[in-house]
Amino acid sequence: SQTIHQWPATLVQPVGSPLSLECTVEGTSNPNLYWYRQAAGRGLQLLFYSVGIGQISSEVPQNLSASRPQDRQFILSSKKLLLSDSGFYLCAWSGDSTGELFFGEGSRLTVL
Amino acid sequence: SQQGEEDPQALSIQEGENATMNCSYKTSINNLQWYRQNSGRGLVHLILIRSNEREKHSGRLRVTLDTSKKSSSLLITASRAADTASYFCASYSGAGSYQLTFGKGTKLSVIP
């Protein structure tokens, strides 16, 4: 069966520090991969998605970036965090372009 | 931008009652999906209804779709305290889109 792992689960970072969130998927190949952000009490904002290794599409211009160094690995990064980067970050995968998404448990980022 | 918008934003009911949540969307869709999110957790897919379907059932869940009105509803029958969660509708933004866009969600509280 397929599983998705996302880490770290929580982190507190100072403004201006770097960020790296990692997500890996097991049990499937060539998944579509997604990073969403959820502000407190709000809906989900799509940040990045990837349909293959090295293929990243950005939905929101900001100081975040994403990379897909391996087929089932998706990384969200920042060189310098802003206060507005605080939120709940969710990684997800899907098997095709119109199907359901399977989410990780999320990473809660607090920037102080 | 939000593809789906749920209504109401919050709903509080007694255990055993039915809960109805509505969703409106803007563009044509291949399918519409409903997800559930427990507080502080990732989203879990509940049900998918295709654009050529009008109604779908899964256990205590009933989903309807009216493409002429660009709306969908999720009915949870005989609610339980464990149904307390936020519920989101989601759809792909257009033909060939990989971007699953979520509404802001309905926060359901089921009182024992």
Side-chain angles (χ1 to χ4, degrees), chain A residues 8-21:
Chain A
T10 60
L11 66 166
V12 180
Q13 295 285 99
V15 169
S17 64
L19 171 73
S20 180
L21 300 179

Side-chain angles (χ1 to χ4, degrees), chain A residues 3-11 20-26 34-38 47 72 74-76 87-93 102-109, chain B residues 40-43:
Chain A
T3 57
I4 179 169
H5 303 282
Q6 185 180 343
W7 71 94
T10 60
L11 66 166
S20 180
L21 300 179
E22 295 195 31
C23 173
T24 60
V25 180
E26 297 177 356
Y34 302 82
W35 279 111
Y36 286 87
R37 178 170 61 197
Q38 185 177 33
L47 300 176
R72 291 169 290 175
F74 207 24
I75 299 171
L76 183 69
F88 192 49
Y89 289 81
L90 289 155
C91 181
W93 73 274
F102 301 91
F103 283 84
E105 285 299 313
S107 298
R108 186 164 301 284
L109 170 65
Chain B
R41 307 293 297 274
L43 279 73

Side-chain angles (χ1 to χ4, degrees), chain A:
Chain A
S1 64
Q2 300 90 355
T3 57
I4 179 169
H5 303 282
Q6 185 180 343
W7 71 94
T10 60
L11 66 166
V12 180
Q13 295 285 99
V15 169
S17 64
L19 171 73
S20 180
L21 300 179
E22 295 195 31
C23 173
T24 60
V25 180
E26 297 177 356
T28 187
S29 60
N30 197 31
N32 297 326
L33 296 171
Y34 302 82
W35 279 111
Y36 286 87
R37 178 170 61 197
Q38 185 177 33
R42 301 293 302 276
L44 277 72
Q45 179 186 35
L46 179 61
L47 300 176
F48 301 94
Y49 69 93
S50 172
V51 300
I53 296 174
Q55 299 178 59
I56 309 294
S57 296
S58 174
E59 290 302 301
V60 183
Q62 55 201 341
N63 68 321
L64 298 174
S65 62
S67 62
R68 184 171 178 172
Q70 301 181 42
D71 181 45
R72 291 169 290 175
Q73 183 183 24
F74 207 24
I75 299 171
L76 183 69
S77 303
S78 174
K79 293 182 179 178
K80 290 185 177 181
L81 285 168
L82 306 172
L83 287 173
S84 57
D85 291 325
S86 293
F88 192 49
Y89 289 81
L90 289 155
C91 181
W93 73 274
S94 70
D96 56 53
S97 61
T98 60
E100 64 190 274
L101 262 59
F102 301 91
F103 283 84
E105 285 299 313
S107 298
R108 186 164 301 284
L109 170 65
T110 303
V111 182
L112 300 177

